[in-house]
Amino acid sequence: PPSPLSTQSATEGKQQSAQAQPKHLNTSNPACARKNRRQYQQRTMSAKKSRFDGLDVAAMTSHLKRTMLGFKLANVYDGNTLGVSATAGSAGGGGSDAAKGVYMFKLADPSGGGGGGASAGTAAASSSSSNNAKDAEDVSDNATKGEEDKEVTQQVTAAAQDQKRAMLLIESGVRFHPTTHYSQSTSGSSSMPSPFAMKLRKHLRNLRLENVTQLGNLDRVVDFRFGSGSYAHHLILE
């Protein structure tokens, strides 16, 4: 039989190990383990990300390289002009200060949009004129059809042009990504653009987005290069 001293030391060791084990690691009770997992998931889900980290910057830089390189800058807007507000906590105050540091870059693909629609409209007009020559009684009907075809062609062309446009949202120190969630603000459209937005328009309008580069090793710094050669301009986002 074991000695009383060895039995006592073993019992003390078990008690010390049980006391040293944290409650949230105690898996002996399944109900307690499930409760701890739910609490951990709730804490994890409640922590929302307020700004891009280095990995987010790397992923978005790669996405812009695949989707927007070669697009021409059409215009630059302040965030309040298109009803875009800054992320909570990134800018103080209200009103126009709520969109401070937020800019929208309107980019367009100069290679496509509307070519097929124009040819279809020309074919429809030629067929309509030939039908008018064959049968004079159907002149009014053919004219009406021609107008309808022209309206449809214009709608198709406008839709194709919209598909070739992109809006790039840039918020200083927080985020940058393409977006479709914006609206024309009546209060912001009548106001003058900020001096920085006017400067961007002056130097970058009608230039192509040639490259997007993340500087450093997963640093939160991005270099947008518009134009090439002697016309190259660099926009640095930190």
Side-chain angles (χ1 to χ4, degrees), residues 16-154:
Q16 291 178 359
S17 61
Q19 293 176 359
Q21 185 178 13
K23 293 182 179 180
H24 67 277
L25 295 179
N26 185 11
T27 58
S28 60
N29 189 352
C32 182
R34 289 194 296 270
K35 181 179 179 181
N36 292 334
R37 280 197 297 268
R38 286 197 300 269
Q39 291 177 354
Y40 175 75
Q41 292 175 356
Q42 290 176 358
R43 289 195 302 267
T44 305
M45 294 175 64
S46 62
K48 295 182 179 180
K49 183 177 291 186
S50 60
R51 61 187 67 241
F52 275 19
D53 57 17
L55 293 177
D56 296 327
V57 172
M60 187 53 60
T61 301
S62 177
H63 175 71
L64 294 183
K65 284 183 177 180
R66 294 193 307 267
T67 58
M68 287 191 178
L69 286 189
F71 278 39
K72 185 179 293 185
L73 182 66
N75 212 341
V76 181
Y77 304 96
D78 292 309
N80 58 352
T81 304
L82 297 179
V84 179
S85 60
T87 304
S90 62
S96 60
D97 293 337
K100 186 177 181 181
V102 182
Y103 301 95
M104 296 283 286
F105 288 69
K106 183 179 180 180
L107 299 158
D109 186 1
S111 62
S119 60
T122 304
S126 61
S127 62
S128 177
S129 61
S130 61
N131 291 333
N132 291 335
K134 292 179 180 179
D135 194 354
E137 295 180 356
D138 296 336
V139 171
S140 58
D141 296 337
N142 290 333
T144 304
K145 292 180 181 180
E147 292 178 356
E148 293 177 354
D149 293 341
K150 186 177 180 180
E151 291 178 358
V152 172
T153 302
Q154 291 177 352

Side-chain angles (χ1 to χ4, degrees), residues 49-61 87 90 170-176 212-224 235-238:
K49 183 177 291 186
S50 60
R51 61 187 67 241
F52 275 19
D53 57 17
L55 293 177
D56 296 327
V57 172
M60 187 53 60
T61 301
T87 304
S90 62
I170 293 180
E171 184 174 357
S172 178
V174 179
R175 55 179 174 156
F176 68 100
V212 183
T213 308
Q214 182 180 16
L215 304 182
N217 184 16
L218 293 180
D219 290 341
R220 298 175 62 247
V221 183
V222 184
D223 178 12
F224 296 87
L235 176 65
I236 307 298
L237 173 66
E238 297 183 357

Side-chain angles (χ1 to χ4, degrees), residues 197-212:
M198 294 180 66
K199 189 172 184 178
L200 291 176
R201 293 179 182 182
K202 176 181 177 181
H203 294 285
L204 302 181
R205 184 180 286 177
N206 295 327
L207 293 181
R208 296 176 185 266
L209 180 61
E210 299 292 346
N211 198 8
V212 183

